[in-house]
Amino acid sequence: MSKRRKLTGDMSVSSGLAAQARTQEILDAASEHNNTKLERLLNEYKFKDVDAVDVQNDHGTSPLHAAILSCAKEGDKACDTVRLLLESGAIWNQLDTNDETPGCIAYRLELLDLYDLMVDAGVRAEVLLNRLEGYEALADDENDVAEEDDGADVVEKNGTEEAEDEAPQIINTTAETANGIIEQAKSDVNSGDYLASNLTLTRDKLLDGDQNGVMMAWESEIMKRSVDLLLTKPGMKVLNIGAGMMIFDTFVQNHVHKPEIHHIIEAHPDILSNMENEGWNEKTGVTIHPERWQEILPQLVADNQTFDAIYYDTFAESYSDFREFFTEYVIGLLEPEGKWSFFNGMGADRQISYDVYQKVTEIDLLEAGFDVEWQEVDIPELEAEWEGVKRKYWNVKKYRLPLCKFMG
């Protein structure tokens, strides 16, 4: 264990200036696609609280941003630089001050080879993070004792002690992560807060107590297409998880192949009250389950209930909740020839996030034993739709509608 010593006075000032100079040196090497120099700098330079591969200047430009921004066209050297940075541990979705990830820049500049590299990096990172989420780190009492820190960190390099440079300010190193922003279909609130909030329902939108959009009328075409793909014959048994504005369920009830059995799971008391006022409780063949799906689905499985079509559109839940839904319950609830779908809004606030999570979902569905087909649906201009909504949860031109079935 190396000792630590305190940096004071002019020494700390010069360290900060050195950090800025070294940051610029790394960014220049990345921009020039000088991989030999870049690799040397990444190994040689050390910064406090950040890895050299993730340093940012005042504009939030990281080495990955710089490597892609400098490209006027596709090129092997640029791809090699991006690969080098990613293999060195660069954060794939680091944001600059323009709210762009490196992948966003590649997409905007139509550098498709670089964009594909960034998408693949995002998929690897998100799949790993999702897997790690299933494990809980075991605390080691002996290692949990905090060490005394009498000043700035000193790191050992080649057997000598070297003071770490004070890193430039990190603009944002957690842009979108698997259970952070990337998989938020519609909100960054948690399920408990949402269920305890008072909802506002208008003709064109459903908002929670913080004015987050729970559901909006522009989703109607998506719901109609989904119902048309799921209801393929008369007399079917349908399960919908998450009622919201009742858009999906209304299309189900009005469909040419109106189902014989129609189950709806909805946990929010305001939505349940609205459903009762609209007479959903009295509709023939309709069964409403006023609980969270986590409480209802185990009982349906235990009762050997099965369905020809299942739809999933919840709010304020994580990707891990969704993965639990299809890995643990759809398998027991779906008829062998049945089909199911879900509102595909994960990462839809930026194109690269949407592309990453399509691939992540495909991987997990495949492992769970499902085939998935995607149909593209054009999304109209939505700028006016966000008036009065806290967070713009959709910023992608095309919706990818999933249709899932058992592999066979």
Short mmCIF file of all heavy atoms in Angstrom, two decimals, residues 239-243 263-267 272 287-294 296-297 300:
data_model
loop_
_atom_site.label_atom_id
_atom_site.label_comp_id
_atom_site.label_asym_id
_atom_site.label_seq_id
_atom_site.Cartn_x
_atom_site.Cartn_y
_atom_site.Cartn_z
N LEU A 239 -54.38 -10.81 -22.21
CA LEU A 239 -53.93 -10.24 -20.94
C LEU A 239 -53.17 -8.95 -21.24
O LEU A 239 -52.22 -8.95 -22.02
CB LEU A 239 -53.01 -11.21 -20.20
CG LEU A 239 -52.25 -10.67 -18.98
CD1 LEU A 239 -53.22 -10.24 -17.88
CD2 LEU A 239 -51.25 -11.71 -18.46
N ASN A 240 -53.60 -7.84 -20.62
CA ASN A 240 -52.88 -6.57 -20.74
C ASN A 240 -52.38 -6.14 -19.37
O ASN A 240 -53.14 -6.11 -18.40
CB ASN A 240 -53.78 -5.48 -21.32
CG ASN A 240 -53.04 -4.16 -21.44
OD1 ASN A 240 -51.83 -4.13 -21.72
ND2 ASN A 240 -53.73 -3.06 -21.20
N ILE A 241 -51.11 -5.78 -19.30
CA ILE A 241 -50.49 -5.36 -18.04
C ILE A 241 -50.17 -3.88 -18.14
O ILE A 241 -49.25 -3.48 -18.87
CB ILE A 241 -49.22 -6.19 -17.76
CG1 ILE A 241 -49.60 -7.67 -17.66
CG2 ILE A 241 -48.53 -5.72 -16.50
CD1 ILE A 241 -48.44 -8.61 -17.73
N GLY A 242 -50.93 -3.06 -17.45
CA GLY A 242 -50.77 -1.62 -17.48
C GLY A 242 -51.84 -0.97 -18.35
O GLY A 242 -51.72 -0.95 -19.57
N ALA A 243 -52.88 -0.41 -17.73
CA ALA A 243 -54.02 0.10 -18.50
C ALA A 243 -53.82 1.53 -18.98
O ALA A 243 -54.17 1.87 -20.11
CB ALA A 243 -55.29 0.01 -17.66
N HIS A 263 -58.25 -9.94 -19.63
CA HIS A 263 -57.77 -9.60 -18.30
C HIS A 263 -56.94 -8.33 -18.36
O HIS A 263 -56.13 -8.15 -19.28
CB HIS A 263 -56.92 -10.74 -17.72
CG HIS A 263 -57.72 -11.92 -17.27
ND1 HIS A 263 -57.68 -12.38 -15.96
CD2 HIS A 263 -58.59 -12.72 -17.92
CE1 HIS A 263 -58.47 -13.44 -15.85
NE2 HIS A 263 -59.03 -13.66 -17.03
N ILE A 264 -57.12 -7.47 -17.37
CA ILE A 264 -56.36 -6.21 -17.28
C ILE A 264 -55.77 -6.11 -15.88
O ILE A 264 -56.49 -6.21 -14.88
CB ILE A 264 -57.25 -4.99 -17.55
CG1 ILE A 264 -57.96 -5.11 -18.90
CG2 ILE A 264 -56.43 -3.70 -17.48
CD1 ILE A 264 -59.04 -4.06 -19.11
N ILE A 265 -54.45 -5.92 -15.81
CA ILE A 265 -53.78 -5.70 -14.53
C ILE A 265 -53.41 -4.23 -14.42
O ILE A 265 -52.72 -3.69 -15.28
CB ILE A 265 -52.52 -6.58 -14.41
CG1 ILE A 265 -52.89 -8.06 -14.46
CG2 ILE A 265 -51.76 -6.25 -13.13
CD1 ILE A 265 -51.70 -8.99 -14.44
N GLU A 266 -53.88 -3.57 -13.38
CA GLU A 266 -53.60 -2.14 -13.16
C GLU A 266 -53.54 -1.86 -11.66
O GLU A 266 -54.45 -2.28 -10.93
CB GLU A 266 -54.67 -1.28 -13.82
CG GLU A 266 -54.55 0.20 -13.55
CD GLU A 266 -53.19 0.76 -13.94
OE1 GLU A 266 -52.79 0.61 -15.12
OE2 GLU A 266 -52.53 1.35 -13.06
N ALA A 267 -52.49 -1.16 -11.23
CA ALA A 267 -52.30 -0.98 -9.80
C ALA A 267 -52.63 0.43 -9.30
O ALA A 267 -52.87 0.62 -8.11
CB ALA A 267 -50.84 -1.30 -9.43
N LEU A 272 -57.74 2.99 -11.78
CA LEU A 272 -58.81 2.05 -11.45
C LEU A 272 -60.14 2.76 -11.25
O LEU A 272 -61.19 2.28 -11.69
CB LEU A 272 -58.43 1.26 -10.19
CG LEU A 272 -57.28 0.27 -10.36
CD1 LEU A 272 -56.79 -0.21 -8.99
CD2 LEU A 272 -57.73 -0.93 -11.19
N THR A 287 -61.94 -8.94 -16.89
CA THR A 287 -61.56 -9.12 -15.49
C THR A 287 -60.45 -8.13 -15.16
O THR A 287 -59.42 -8.10 -15.84
CB THR A 287 -61.06 -10.54 -15.22
OG1 THR A 287 -62.09 -11.48 -15.55
CG2 THR A 287 -60.65 -10.71 -13.76
N ILE A 288 -60.68 -7.32 -14.13
CA ILE A 288 -59.69 -6.32 -13.72
C ILE A 288 -59.01 -6.79 -12.44
O ILE A 288 -59.68 -7.13 -11.46
CB ILE A 288 -60.35 -4.95 -13.51
CG1 ILE A 288 -60.98 -4.46 -14.83
CG2 ILE A 288 -59.34 -3.93 -13.00
CD1 ILE A 288 -61.82 -3.21 -14.68
N HIS A 289 -57.69 -6.78 -12.47
CA HIS A 289 -56.90 -7.15 -11.29
C HIS A 289 -56.27 -5.88 -10.72
O HIS A 289 -55.33 -5.34 -11.28
CB HIS A 289 -55.79 -8.14 -11.68
CG HIS A 289 -56.29 -9.39 -12.31
ND1 HIS A 289 -56.71 -10.48 -11.58
CD2 HIS A 289 -56.44 -9.73 -13.63
CE1 HIS A 289 -57.08 -11.44 -12.42
NE2 HIS A 289 -56.94 -11.01 -13.66
N PRO A 290 -56.78 -5.39 -9.56
CA PRO A 290 -56.31 -4.12 -9.02
C PRO A 290 -55.06 -4.26 -8.15
O PRO A 290 -55.04 -3.91 -6.97
CB PRO A 290 -57.51 -3.66 -8.19
CG PRO A 290 -58.12 -4.93 -7.70
CD PRO A 290 -57.91 -5.94 -8.80
N GLU A 291 -53.99 -4.74 -8.74
CA GLU A 291 -52.72 -4.93 -8.02
C GLU A 291 -51.58 -4.78 -9.01
O GLU A 291 -51.78 -4.70 -10.22
CB GLU A 291 -52.66 -6.33 -7.39
CG GLU A 291 -53.67 -6.59 -6.29
CD GLU A 291 -53.30 -5.91 -4.97
OE1 GLU A 291 -52.16 -5.40 -4.89
OE2 GLU A 291 -54.13 -5.90 -4.06
N ARG A 292 -50.36 -4.76 -8.48
CA ARG A 292 -49.18 -4.81 -9.33
C ARG A 292 -49.07 -6.20 -9.95
O ARG A 292 -49.50 -7.20 -9.37
CB ARG A 292 -47.92 -4.50 -8.51
CG ARG A 292 -47.90 -3.11 -7.92
CD ARG A 292 -46.76 -2.93 -6.93
NE ARG A 292 -45.45 -2.94 -7.59
CZ ARG A 292 -44.49 -3.82 -7.35
NH1 ARG A 292 -44.70 -4.81 -6.46
NH2 ARG A 292 -43.34 -3.75 -7.98
N TRP A 293 -48.49 -6.26 -11.14
CA TRP A 293 -48.40 -7.56 -11.82
C TRP A 293 -47.55 -8.55 -11.02
O TRP A 293 -47.76 -9.75 -11.12
CB TRP A 293 -47.86 -7.39 -13.23
CG TRP A 293 -46.46 -6.85 -13.38
CD1 TRP A 293 -46.09 -5.56 -13.60
CD2 TRP A 293 -45.23 -7.59 -13.32
NE1 TRP A 293 -44.72 -5.43 -13.69
CE2 TRP A 293 -44.17 -6.68 -13.53
CE3 TRP A 293 -44.93 -8.94 -13.12
CZ2 TRP A 293 -42.83 -7.06 -13.53
CZ3 TRP A 293 -43.59 -9.34 -13.12
CH2 TRP A 293 -42.56 -8.40 -13.32
N GLN A 294 -46.63 -8.02 -10.22
CA GLN A 294 -45.78 -8.91 -9.41
C GLN A 294 -46.60 -9.71 -8.39
O GLN A 294 -46.20 -10.80 -7.98
CB GLN A 294 -44.70 -8.11 -8.68
CG GLN A 294 -43.61 -7.55 -9.59
CD GLN A 294 -43.95 -6.18 -10.17
OE1 GLN A 294 -45.11 -5.77 -10.19
NE2 GLN A 294 -42.94 -5.48 -10.66
N ILE A 296 -50.02 -10.41 -9.03
CA ILE A 296 -51.08 -11.12 -9.76
C ILE A 296 -50.55 -12.29 -10.57
O ILE A 296 -51.14 -13.40 -10.58
CB ILE A 296 -51.83 -10.14 -10.70
CG1 ILE A 296 -52.51 -9.03 -9.88
CG2 ILE A 296 -52.85 -10.89 -11.53
CD1 ILE A 296 -53.53 -9.53 -8.89
N LEU A 297 -49.46 -12.11 -11.29
CA LEU A 297 -49.00 -13.14 -12.22
C LEU A 297 -48.65 -14.47 -11.55
O LEU A 297 -48.99 -15.53 -12.11
CB LEU A 297 -47.81 -12.63 -13.04
CG LEU A 297 -48.10 -11.46 -13.98
CD1 LEU A 297 -46.92 -11.20 -14.89
CD2 LEU A 297 -49.35 -11.72 -14.82
N LEU A 300 -51.90 -16.28 -11.23
CA LEU A 300 -52.42 -16.75 -12.52
C LEU A 300 -51.68 -18.00 -12.98
O LEU A 300 -52.30 -18.93 -13.52
CB LEU A 300 -52.30 -15.64 -13.57
CG LEU A 300 -53.18 -14.40 -13.37
CD1 LEU A 300 -52.93 -13.39 -14.50
CD2 LEU A 300 -54.66 -14.76 -13.32
#
